[in-house]
């Protein structure tokens, strides 16, 4: 048998891209490829890209430029661009960077093996279609190899919300939910391969409405309750959610479903109703706060995470202060915040920008507040008992690192335990970005 060819994949952007990269690697496994950690010995390089902010998109071109030397040395090397930049700028990529052999959009990944074949015959391949067929069914790998204990599983893709700043509805297309039975069977396979924790993914995961048994439609909560029954699966998470899709059954599940972890990523973007309206978010600061109250009533120890954009067109200091007030009221345990980045083709792209220095200053103030909250929440874990899913060896002898229910990284001496075990731990110390604990 011929030596396997080597595939190097570099992944940018959200968890959905991480999941997609794994699927593509498995599909290319069927075409005689195994993955490598180094572009230098690759026969094919694939960049799985993100288009969400300008910087993310530009990174792709500078990264591609760096492969010039490699391609000159190795004319058989194939270079491909996947992901959201591929979807948004497909032909432009081929024009701007002639060393690219292949461009594949997120909805066409199942066609990657035949596209690779085409490039081997010296042609270029581009596919940014949104075909009808279920790409995940076709991307199914046959590998039974053991996996790390925490895995992602995409259940929903695309977005119909059209927030005025966001490219996702254009790069990922309309909302589509995978049928429940396919999700469950993939979950069972993951568990058979050693997975103990599954994070359900979707751009709007709580808008999940998949075909269920007997022709019915399942909500995300229905799906979570069924996953809860799988022996060997110990933890369930989901991300990312939209405030308008937090239905009662999902809120209740946070209080009642034993395997659903007490962590929720619920982006609000801004605390100013004027800005929220202009963002086309269709919720207000007040409705978001009341929603958080209801979720916390169902699960008081829930750790909340959020996303924020500062410097959205026409944001004033007063609007910004409304965001700061909302943050003070919610108290986030984790957060992601960004300076507004103009995305061509989105409604907000036409609007007057906030002064850049002012926007940077707001971002700094916002991040200072969020880090302070994050630190407080983390420090508040000291003395508490948590469960830790052991995910990898630590640097010191006998040390292991894992995640608590609240998604904090925890370091501990775990002699006698293995990766994949869930252990009870008492938190003893809060470090810069992680906790330290001791087995109980
Ligand atoms: N579907 C998810 C997240 C999508 S993108 C949701 O609705 O929450 C992840 C985050 O990137 C967004 O929540 C937003 O905070 C940020 N983002 C998206 N477009 C942006 C832009 N044009 N400029 C700056 N940040 C942006
Ligand atoms: Fe983008 Fe808004 Fe859809 Fe989230 S809900 S993916 S921010 S358009
Ligand atoms: Fe980026 Fe596409 Fe995800 S734009 S954030 S990789 S959906």
């Amino acid at each position: 048998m011929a030596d396997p060819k080597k595939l190097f994949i570099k992944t940018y952007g959200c968890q959905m891209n991480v999941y997609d990269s794994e699927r593509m690697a498995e599909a290319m496994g069927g075409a005689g490829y195994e993955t490598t950690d180094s572009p230098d010995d690759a026969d094919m390089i694939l960049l799985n890209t993100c288009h969400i902010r300008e910087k993310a998109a530009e990174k792709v071109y500078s990264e591609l430029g760096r492969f010039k030397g490699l391609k000159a040395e190795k004319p058989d090397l194939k270079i491909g661009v996947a992901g959201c930049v591929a979807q948004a700028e497909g032909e432009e990529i081929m024009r701007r960077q002639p060393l690219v052999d292949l461009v594949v959009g997120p909805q066409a990944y199942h066609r990657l093996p035949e596209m690779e074949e085409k490039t081997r015959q010296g042609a270029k391949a581009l596919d940014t279609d949104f075909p009808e067929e279920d790409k995940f069914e076709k991307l199914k790998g046959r590998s039974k190899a053991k996996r790390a204990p925490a895995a992602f599983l995409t259940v929903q893709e695309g977005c119909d919300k059209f927030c005025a700043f966001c490219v996702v509805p254009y790069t990922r297309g309309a909302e589509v939910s995978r049928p429940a039975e396919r999700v469950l069977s993939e979950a069972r396979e993951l568990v058979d391969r050693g997975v103990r924790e599954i994070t359900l993914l979707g751009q709007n995961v709580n808008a999940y409405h998949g075909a269920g048994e007997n022709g019915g439609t399942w909500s995300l909560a229905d799906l979570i309750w069924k996953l809860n029954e799988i022996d060997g699966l110990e933890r369930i998470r989901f991300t990312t959610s939209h405030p308008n899709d937090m239905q009662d059954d999902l809120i209740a599940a946070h209080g009642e479903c034993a395997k659903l972890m007490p962590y929720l990523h619920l982006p609000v973007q801004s605390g100013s109703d004027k800005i929220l309206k202009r963002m086309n978010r269709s919720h207000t600061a007040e409705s978001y706060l009341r929603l958080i109250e209801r979720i916390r009533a169902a699960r008081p120890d829930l750790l909340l995470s959020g996303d924020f954009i500062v410097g959205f067109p026409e944001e004033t200091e007063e609007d910004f202060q409304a965001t700061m007030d909302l943050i003070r009221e919610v108290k986030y345990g984790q957060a992601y915040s960004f300076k507004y980045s103009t995305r061509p083709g989105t409604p907000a792209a036409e609007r007057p920008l906030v002064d850049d220095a002012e926007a940077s200053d707001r971002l700094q103030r916002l991040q200072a507040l969020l880090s302070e909250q994050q630190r407080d929440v983390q420090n508040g874990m000291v003395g508490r008992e948590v469960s830790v899913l052991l995910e990898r060896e630590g640097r010191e002898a006998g040390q292991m690192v894992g995640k608590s229910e609240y998604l904090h990284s925890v370091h501990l001496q775990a002699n006698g335990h293995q990766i994949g075990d869930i252990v009870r731990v008492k938190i003893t110390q809060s470090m810069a970005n992680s906790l330290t604990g001791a087995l109980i």
Side-chain angles (χ1 to χ4, degrees), residues 12-14 16-17 49-52 84 167-168 171-172 203:
Y12 304 83
C14 62
M16 198 155 274
N17 268 7
T49 62
C50 173
H51 200 244
I52 202 81
C84 292
V167 294
V168 170
T171 61
R172 294 276 172 166
Q203 263 89 20

Side-chain angles (χ1 to χ4, degrees), residues 52-53 165 203 240 267 269 307 309 338-341 343:
I52 202 81
R53 284 167 291 274
F165 50 80
Q203 263 89 20
T240 296
Q269 314 299 354
D307 288 350
I309 296 178
F338 315 95
K339 190 161 78 172
Y340 170 70
S341 169
R343 308 311 293 126

Side-chain angles (χ1 to χ4, degrees), residues 2 15 19 56 65 70 73 82 150 152 195 231 265 285 298 312 350 366 396 433 435:
Q15 291 105 325
Y19 177 81
L70 217 53
E73 270 168 44
F152 293 135
V195 169
D231 285 335
H265 183 63
F312 186 77
E350 310 296 323
L366 182 107
E396 295 157 30
N433 294 307
L435 296 165

Side-chain angles (χ1 to χ4, degrees), residues 292-416:
I292 300 286
E293 251 171 30
R294 287 172 53 216
I295 305 166
R296 279 187 167 146
R299 183 75 201 224
D301 64 335
L302 188 93
L303 189 144
L304 263 162
S305 154
D307 288 350
F308 301 89
I309 296 178
V310 303
F312 186 77
E314 297 165 279
E315 183 190 71
T316 62
E317 177 65 24
E318 197 186 344
D319 295 318
F320 172 69
Q321 285 304 333
T323 305
M324 297 289 273
D325 289 343
L326 178 139
I327 293 171
R328 283 187 201 101
E329 188 157 343
V330 172
K331 201 159 197 218
Y332 288 92
Q334 174 70 260
Y336 305 88
S337 49
F338 315 95
K339 190 161 78 172
Y340 170 70
S341 169
T342 302
R343 308 311 293 126
T346 59
E350 310 296 323
R351 302 181 198 163
L353 288 173
V354 169
D355 174 69
D356 190 58
E358 180 58 36
S360 298
D361 182 64
R362 285 180 198 163
L363 183 62
Q364 231 174 40
R365 286 184 278 154
L366 182 107
Q367 290 184 334
L369 175 61
L370 286 167
S371 325
E372 190 187 306
Q373 294 195 338
Q374 229 162 294
R375 224 175 12 251
D376 280 355
V377 170
Q378 200 188 289
N379 291 348
M381 299 305 299
V382 176
R384 284 180 58 179
E385 293 181 5
V386 297
S387 290
V388 176
L389 170 60
L390 300 175
E391 293 186 0
R392 58 185 174 86
E393 314 270 342
R395 277 205 205 104
E396 295 157 30
Q399 191 190 49
M400 294 187 94
V401 188
K403 294 268 167 57
S404 76
E405 305 86 318
Y406 308 99
L407 221 51
H408 285 124
S409 281
V410 181
H411 295 248
L412 63 142
Q413 283 297 319
N415 298 332

Side-chain angles (χ1 to χ4, degrees), residues 68-79:
K68 240 183 207 140
L70 217 53
K71 182 104 172 178
E73 270 168 44
K74 227 177 163 182
D76 280 347
L77 170 67
K78 300 298 173 197
I79 296 182

